[in-house]
Amino acid sequence: MLMKTDAAMKPADTDEGTPVSVKIRERLNAARHRFNANDNIADFLEPGELEQLLDEVEVKMQGVLDSLVIDTERDHNTGDTARRVAKMYLNEVFKGRYVRAPSITEFPNAEHLNELMIVGPITVRSACSHHFCPVIGKIWIGVMPNEHTNVIGLSKYARLAEWVMGRPQIQEEAVVQLADLIMEKTQPDGLAIVMQASHYCMAWRGVKDMDSKMINSVMRGVFLKDPALRREFLALIPQKD
């Protein structure tokens, strides 16, 4: 029986049995690309690897259930929990880490619009990076366009927000990420974002305060420089709950 020489071995042969997460991590490290919880890593996934990653997370999640001393073999409620949790993380609540940004059609500002436009409230759902507990809230976006601003559809603001929030996030960082993305896509004179959210790491655990909410804002361009415009934006936002 002939044995393969090292020179004849294909690259796939050399890493057979290596977890797909390790392969992805090696690519990220080689490119010196950050992969924090709220980073997108879609450019470093090869075809079919997301499905392999789902299988790997399922196995690891089953280990968590075993360590929690849950009899998933006999408990009819948790028999498929490991698979369901893996699918939830990769295909739903943290999808923003593993897929590319939504396609956004941009149009020139043909009518040279230069008046304040506000979009919201946009319902957003995320999870805190500290405990993976839900963060659920609303976002208001104010845009001050200029004649060179790219115009995008109103629904596209919601799609961009969903993509950014679909990762383990810290609210303050999430709003900055969204502001950077919208500024890059539209190039307005100014951008304002306000987010109000309930954090279940505070409501479900810890102090278990169900009524507390966090509100934060990011102001860019003329919203940062013009107090009157900033007041107008804040005054036009409907009364928050």
Side-chain angles (χ1 to χ4, degrees):
M1 181 176 178
L2 294 176
M3 300 293 292
K4 290 183 181 179
T5 64
D6 290 343
M9 290 179 67
K10 296 178 181 179
D13 296 324
T14 61
D15 62 3
E16 185 177 354
T18 302
V20 67
S21 62
V22 173
K23 299 176 188 177
I24 297 168
R25 187 183 295 264
E26 287 174 350
R27 282 183 220 125
L28 288 158
N29 283 327
R32 298 182 182 276
H33 189 282
R34 199 182 75 167
F35 49 102
N36 287 359
N38 62 354
D39 289 327
N40 179 272
I41 60 171
D43 288 342
F44 296 87
L45 297 178
E46 294 184 354
E49 285 189 334
L50 189 57
E51 291 75 15
Q52 296 174 41
L53 197 58
L54 194 154
D55 293 337
E56 182 181 333
V57 173
E58 178 187 0
V59 171
K60 301 282 180 66
M61 189 62 215
Q62 183 59 51
V64 172
L65 295 171
D66 292 342
S67 293
L68 289 172
V69 198
I70 296 174
D71 187 355
T72 57
E73 291 185 7
R74 296 177 178 83
D75 179 2
H76 62 282
N77 290 318
T78 57
D80 294 319
T81 293
R83 185 69 176 182
R84 285 193 293 264
V85 172
K87 291 172 68 175
M88 177 187 72
Y89 281 149
L90 271 68
N91 297 339
E92 297 180 83
V93 296
F94 297 156
K95 183 179 179 180
R97 296 197 78 233
Y98 305 105
V99 300
R100 290 182 171 85
S103 177
I104 302 296
T105 302
E106 303 163 15
F107 304 95
N109 186 2
E111 298 299 324
H112 294 176
L113 303 173
N114 62 353
E115 299 293 339
L116 173 60
M117 178 187 74
I118 298 176
V119 183
I122 298 170
T123 300
V124 291
R125 301 165 186 83
S126 189
C128 77
S129 304
H130 297 154
H131 296 94
F132 278 19
C133 289
V135 175
I136 300 175
K138 298 182 183 299
I139 281 180
W140 291 263
I141 301 170
V143 178
M144 179 60 74
N146 59 52
E147 60 181 291
H148 303 296
T149 295
N150 296 322
V151 179
I152 64 176
L154 296 181
S155 66
K156 302 306 186 291
Y157 290 100
R159 291 187 184 280
L160 292 174
E162 180 183 31
W163 184 66
V164 169
M165 296 297 164
R167 312 164 194 174
Q169 284 284 11
I170 300 302
Q171 183 171 329
E172 307 93 298
E173 296 177 359
V175 174
V176 171
Q177 284 187 329
L178 181 59
D180 290 344
L181 183 60
I182 294 174
M183 288 292 291
E184 177 189 344
K185 294 286 185 183
T186 62
Q187 300 295 314
D189 275 348
L191 176 70
I193 300 179
V194 168
M195 179 174 174
Q196 173 185 276
S198 297
H199 290 244
Y200 282 73
C201 57
M202 187 174 178
W204 189 33
R205 56 162 300 282
V207 296
K208 299 181 180 177
D209 187 337
M210 295 295 294
D211 297 321
S212 293
K213 292 179 172 62
M214 178 177 177
I215 303 174
N216 71 314
S217 66
V218 170
M219 304 287 168
R220 299 281 174 84
V222 290
F223 285 99
L224 193 60
K225 300 174 184 177
D226 187 343
L229 179 62
R230 187 162 61 248
R231 285 195 298 270
E232 179 184 0
F233 166 70
L234 295 173
L236 288 172
I237 294 177
Q239 185 67 36
K240 294 179 283 297
D241 296 333

